[in-house]
Amino acid sequence: MLLKEKAGVVFVRLALQTLAGSVLLAASAHAQQASTSGSADQAADGANKAAPQKVYVTGSNVRRITLESASPVQVLTREEITRGGATSLNEVLRTISSNVGGIDENRTNGFTAGASGLNLRGVGSQATLTLINGRRLAPYAQPEFQTTFVDLNSIPIGAVERIEILKDGASAIYGSEAMAGVVNIILRSNYEGIELGGSVGQSSRNDGEQLRSTLSIGGGNLVKDHFNAYATIDLRSRKPMYLSKRDDYLSTQDTRAWGYKDARSLYTFPGNLYWTDKATGQYMARSIGGNCPAGRLVDFSTRVANGGGQSCVFDDYADGTFNAAGKTDRASITSRLTWQPNASTTVFSELMFNRNKVVLTGNLHWFAGQIGQPMPALPITHPQYPKDLIGADGNTLVGGNGSVRVRASLRDFPAQGQDNTTDFGRYLVGAKGDFKNWDWETALLLTNSKVTALGTSGMLVDPLLEAYQNGSFLFGSSASNADLYKRLMANSSSTFKSGLQQVDAKLSGELMTLPAGAVGLAVGVEARREFLDTNPDQLSIDGALYHAAQSPPGFSNSRRIASVFGEATIPLIKDVEAQLAARFDHYSDYGNSTTPKVGLKWTVSPALMLRGTYASGFRAPTLVENSTDVRNAYQSFTDPLRCNAQFKLGCNNGANSAYQSGANPALKPETAKSFTLGMAWEPSSSFLATLDVWQIKRIDEINTYSLDRVLADPSRYANDPAAQIIRDPLTAADRAAGAQAGEVSNIIMLLTNVAVTQVRGLDLKLQGKVNMGEYGTLTPTLNLSHTQSYKTAPTPDSELVEFAGTSDTPSVKATLGLAWKKAAYALSADTVFVSKTATVDDRSLACSLATEGYAQLCSGIASFTTFNLGASYTGFKDLKLSLAVQNAFDRKPPFTPGRTGNYNATLHSAMGRYIQVTADYQFK
């Protein structure tokens, strides 16, 4: 791991050296061009100065000449988006340096299969505002517990022209909740012609096969015909990927070869029995039927200090059919109609519809039969009750509480799955124009998201309990259980809808002229209605499905928001410009908020600019956070009262319990304060460097308490309704084996206004362009984000705790891109770097791996670097051929004990090498 970390440091250092070297090359090339071009370039420059083109920059509603503003903005061009073979925005945006984790489309647990969302600065998806052409989108309709986000997979990548990422608080400009920044996705404004594209891809593990096709059709010239209409149809189908096909620790729960433990599950097929020996008090185990394969038999004493006998274990990754990523099918259409009835007026409409269908399979049913569970301990009358544990009088010979427990994996039953269909729509009609020195625009927007979530192959509690108690259900007996399938299995279907309707209008122009220049002004109004409706299946509400989380009743929630905003750019003195902005929002459920923003830009010289911003933010609780929704799930965790030198069953996610995460109508809004301070240096047209330091302070943060802290210090939270740990009584057998408390039977973690979060860091961007004459053009780009500190308080009265560099919060993320072009040829290499992280969730915690006896693994999780290669050729008439190789060197994510797949899916991918071939043809 140390060597890997050093390699990561070397990578960043080499990246900086490479980009710095490009400055010298670019300066040399620029000088050579100047000496050879001479008067032609000067004439062109003169023409450009004579007729400067004003544009709108993300982060401002005021039209301006210069692209660099007081706010730091990262722009991803269409070429950068597609050259690495990305077929979804998730694949592009999750790798940007300012994003930390977020919802991943490939996750196989939770409620949001197939959806993906961003998490700028790691402060929560709710603090990132995602827009299309500067306007909002409906959030994904099915909340991930209480997390709401815009689903990136609702936006087809084929319709995207570029992406602009505003990296400071933009609450005053776009919306009060934009505390961490804004992602503005810019679609094509017009298109003429016909373009047909197709691609095929597959992972190096012979799974994840993908087919994609796209068709764009457009006609009408805005200059000649005064109209343009185009439509893009995008289709993508990808087959599932499996953990069992990945390499080494990614495909097994037995990780002894990597310095950890045999974590294969005691929920095995056909099953294990446990009881307390009456004579010795020893906690005994054996496999059901006694026919466990030799390679899966382990001494029970390795799991429990006072254990005896042998238990049969099951490798969920190697022996199961668990998806590493589900099967997805996407179909979308995006269109825009533009009409110019006269020279000063444009009428436009936009339509987007996307259907995303994802299927997850392979989640095997498990069975827990013991006192206190829906399935009780094994009845003594059951055919598989051990005959040697029944006395001559027909009574049990078992000690302790006299019960025989069962843990089993029901591999002979159809595995559970998810079949989610998401329909996303966005419909816009508007008009814009100019009058004298002013621009105006108004539009009506309707956007919605609908999720139909089908739970497949569920198992009904009541008929299962009946069959278990009367002995007609036998563990591991596929033949005799076949007749039970029809009575036991059931599907459930739930629907979720979210949306918003919005009308807006804004005006932008020059208010007056000061000695230092013109004052730019933009004002606007906006009114919108947001809604969220949830309709869980009645089986889920009734709790009729075995070991599936019971759903709360459905709910409907809505609010209205009216906003007024204004912005001014004021030239204070020569080369010094101020940006002043403010937004007033009235929420129908939370009253009023005012969020200001101040920016300052000083052009020290034509090559150097200094800049800074200050902004405040206001985030009202989302429609699910302040509802009556209390979600039920199951949570794996480390139980410190059942994890010690003697007792191991509660160690490293060995504990499992029902888990309730609840909404809270009494929540208060969050507020935030943020600032940036930076510089942009452009010594020539061939090189640009920007450096910005930033800080976000969020107050009254809405979150749940840290479960690890609640478990470690239960007395602290004893009277807090937002954190409740409910346990079964401690059995004599468990006490004798070393446990300090009974098993956790339920966890209730309600949302609350926890405390304060303060995050600060820096962003570095280096971009060069080297003209190598007959050898083509080289364009290197480095984007690096360093989270210097991420402090938050786990409770309102706690000290701030440092999270930077811990398990889910890497200190450094960086992307280094190198593109080369010459005539019809193009090559690219994009490197994504995630720094080393600690093996703790926050810096105040001790490494739990040391508690388990694996102190050597506490040195940290290694850094991870992947390389994506691309190549294209346009030498054929109207045809472009492309090849992309993601993770070209087939790097495995670093070993992370205790996580699903033994890697951190929040930060890394287990896909491995993925090869894709693409062809695009233009009909002219």
Side-chain angles (χ1 to χ4, degrees), residues 152 203 245 293 570 607 812:
L152 296 174
S203 82
K245 291 190 175 184
I570 305 171
V812 178

Side-chain angles (χ1 to χ4, degrees), residues 91 310 395 492 495 761 827:
E91 296 175 19
Q310 288 186 314
N395 295 320
S492 60
T495 58
L827 299 174

Side-chain angles (χ1 to χ4, degrees), residues 491-538:
N491 295 337
S492 60
S493 180
S494 305
T495 58
F496 307 85
K497 297 179 182 178
S498 71
L500 65 88
Q501 301 99 32
Q502 174 181 297
V503 60
D504 60 59
K506 59 185 178 181
L507 185 68
S508 174
E510 294 181 356
L511 181 63
M512 64 177 73
T513 301
L514 298 178
V519 175
L521 177 69
V523 295
V525 295
E526 180 183 293
R528 72 179 187 272
R529 176 182 178 270
E530 304 172 344
F531 70 88
L532 174 63
D533 297 328
T534 68
N535 297 280
D537 189 280
Q538 193 61 44

Side-chain angles (χ1 to χ4, degrees), residues 582-604:
R583 185 182 189 92
F584 174 82
D585 297 292
H586 172 72
Y587 290 78
S588 61
D589 51 356
Y590 282 99
N592 303 329
S593 74
T594 301
T595 49
K597 179 177 181 178
V598 179
L600 195 64
K601 182 180 76 170
W602 176 24
T603 306
V604 180

Side-chain angles (χ1 to χ4, degrees), residues 88 181 186 228 286 426 452 511 560 614 625 662 680 693 709 762 799:
S88 71
I186 310 298
N228 178 262
R286 74 168 62 154
R426 182 179 182 272
T452 302
L511 181 63
R560 297 180 182 274
Y614 167 83
E625 287 174 334
V693 295
R709 287 183 168 274
L762 63 84
E799 295 293 328

